[in-house]
Amino acid sequence: MGKTLNKSAQKEINGGRAFFDCTDVCRIREEDRPYHIGLQMDLYGLDFSHCTCSGHSC
């Protein structure tokens, strides 16, 4: 646990799919969100930096 994954490994785990909306972002642990938001930008050109989450919902 706590191992940082490279982009290839993360894509395999996430199935390489783009997030649909902020709800997808909010399902990710808060400390992991910056990585996943950056990954979405790198892979798909999608910017979810505007998402704000309270608990597990947006």
Side-chain angles (χ1 to χ4, degrees):
M1 283 184 55
K3 179 181 176 186
T4 302
L5 302 175
N6 63 33
K7 288 182 184 182
S8 177
Q10 189 62 51
K11 184 175 179 183
E12 184 177 320
I13 290 170
N14 284 344
R17 73 166 182 85
F19 290 159
F20 293 111
D21 54 27
C22 289
T23 301
D24 282 346
V25 174
C26 293
R27 289 183 182 135
I28 297 170
R29 290 186 322 169
E30 185 175 354
E31 59 269 18
D32 295 336
R33 285 183 198 138
Y35 170 79
H36 289 282
I37 288 171
L39 186 65
Q40 292 292 301
M41 180 62 90
D42 290 347
L43 292 175
Y44 308 107
L46 301 173
D47 183 8
F48 286 94
S49 62
H50 66 279
C51 296
T52 57
C53 305
S54 175
H56 293 285
S57 61
C58 293

